[in-house]
């Protein structure tokens, strides 16, 4: 893993990240577009973490902190690079970021149908909270 580099994404990375998610991420989000990711990076330049190996993007995670809670989204590892510790390294970097910011607990959005991801989150020490239900409302402009 010594050749794995984890760094925050910059504006120049956004098109690459969006293309990467189409290959490596499970499902899509209403925010998976250039404007949405630009807003994320502009508001919190260290939230979108990239894992690179040999200059190639091999993993991502969004580690957002709103001053109250630590939220994790878009943990994705390229299919050709899975089971090599990349997801674990990204989550360790996210946890370290949260601790530096004063966060006390991280939560993750994980699709119910994505069993592979559930195993990865469990291995990283996360556990589901069955008593909670996600409520959403799509906002229009």
């Amino acid at each position: 893993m010594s050749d794995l580099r984890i760094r925050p994404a910059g504006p120049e990375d956004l098109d690459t990240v969006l293309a990467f998610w189409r290959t490596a991420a499970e499902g899509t989000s209403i925010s998976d577009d250039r404007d949405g990711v630009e807003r994320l990076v502009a508001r919190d330049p260290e939230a979108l973490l990239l894992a690179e190996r040999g200059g190639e993007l091999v993993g991502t995670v969004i580690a957002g902190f709103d001053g109250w809670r630590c939220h994790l989204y878009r943990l994705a590892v390229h299919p050709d690079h899975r089971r090599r510790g990349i997801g674990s390294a990204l989550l360790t970097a996210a946890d370290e970021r949260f601790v530096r910011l004063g966060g006390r607990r991280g939560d993750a959005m994980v699709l119910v149908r994505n069993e592979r991801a559930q195993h990865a989150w469990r291995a990283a020490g996360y556990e589901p909270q069955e008593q909670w239900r996600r409520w959403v409302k799509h906002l229009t402009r």
Side-chain angles (χ1 to χ4, degrees), residues 2-126:
S2 63
D3 63 336
L4 187 69
R5 177 180 178 224
I6 297 179
R7 67 172 180 86
E12 70 281 1
D13 298 306
L14 303 187
D15 290 330
T16 301
V17 168
L18 289 165
F20 175 82
W21 285 344
R22 285 190 292 275
T23 300
E26 179 73 25
T28 58
S29 167
I30 194 170
S31 301
D32 285 357
D33 59 26
R34 177 88 188 187
D35 288 343
V37 181
E38 279 180 344
R39 276 191 301 279
L40 169 69
V41 171
R43 183 181 179 283
D44 187 350
E46 296 183 3
L48 176 52
L49 299 176
L50 307 182
E52 298 174 321
R53 179 168 279 147
E56 177 187 0
L57 179 60
V58 294
T60 67
V61 70
I62 297 173
F65 182 63
D66 61 13
W68 179 258
R69 299 253 168 85
C70 307
H71 304 287
L72 293 152
Y73 309 91
R74 280 293 179 236
L75 175 63
V77 175
H78 191 281
D80 295 341
H81 295 270
R82 291 181 179 154
R83 312 252 342 127
R84 297 181 190 172
I86 295 167
S88 295
L90 282 163
L91 290 177
T92 296
D95 290 349
E96 290 169 355
R97 176 175 197 262
F98 291 151
V99 169
R100 281 193 314 274
L101 293 171
R104 297 181 184 177
R105 178 182 68 195
D107 63 55
M109 298 295 299
V110 183
L111 290 170
V112 172
R113 70 175 187 265
N114 192 343
E115 291 184 27
R116 176 182 295 136
Q118 291 178 37
H119 292 294
W121 287 102
R122 274 189 215 286
Y126 288 80

